[in-house]
Amino acid sequence: LLARGLARADQKGLPVALETHLAENVARYRHFGFEVASDRRLEPDGPRCYGMVRVPSGLPKSPATR
């Protein structure tokens, strides 16, 4: 399902963004071309939130995702 949606985004030249609270998901999403754009805690003692971005295939990555 994810690969199909990413292929459609690539065809349209659209970036894709997501958030995950699980550190182990970061590697999973990197496999699909996502890079961490932000890493923060929602509350001082709360869970971490990883904001991830994927640029369309064939386009250069932005400086924030290098």
Side-chain angles (χ1 to χ4, degrees), residues 2 6 15-19 25-37 51-55 61 65:
L2 182 59
L6 294 175
V16 179
L18 62 83
E19 290 184 339
N25 283 345
V26 171
R28 182 173 297 128
Y29 289 124
R30 278 192 170 135
H31 172 77
F32 287 98
F34 287 87
E35 293 295 331
V36 175
M52 302 187 76
V53 177
R54 179 185 180 275
V55 297
K61 293 183 178 182
T65 61

Side-chain angles (χ1 to χ4, degrees), residues 40-65:
R40 65 188 189 286
R41 289 201 182 272
L42 302 177
E43 296 288 332
D45 60 344
R48 288 176 88 162
C49 181
Y50 302 91
M52 302 187 76
V53 177
R54 179 185 180 275
V55 297
S57 290
L59 295 181
K61 293 183 178 182
S62 71
T65 61

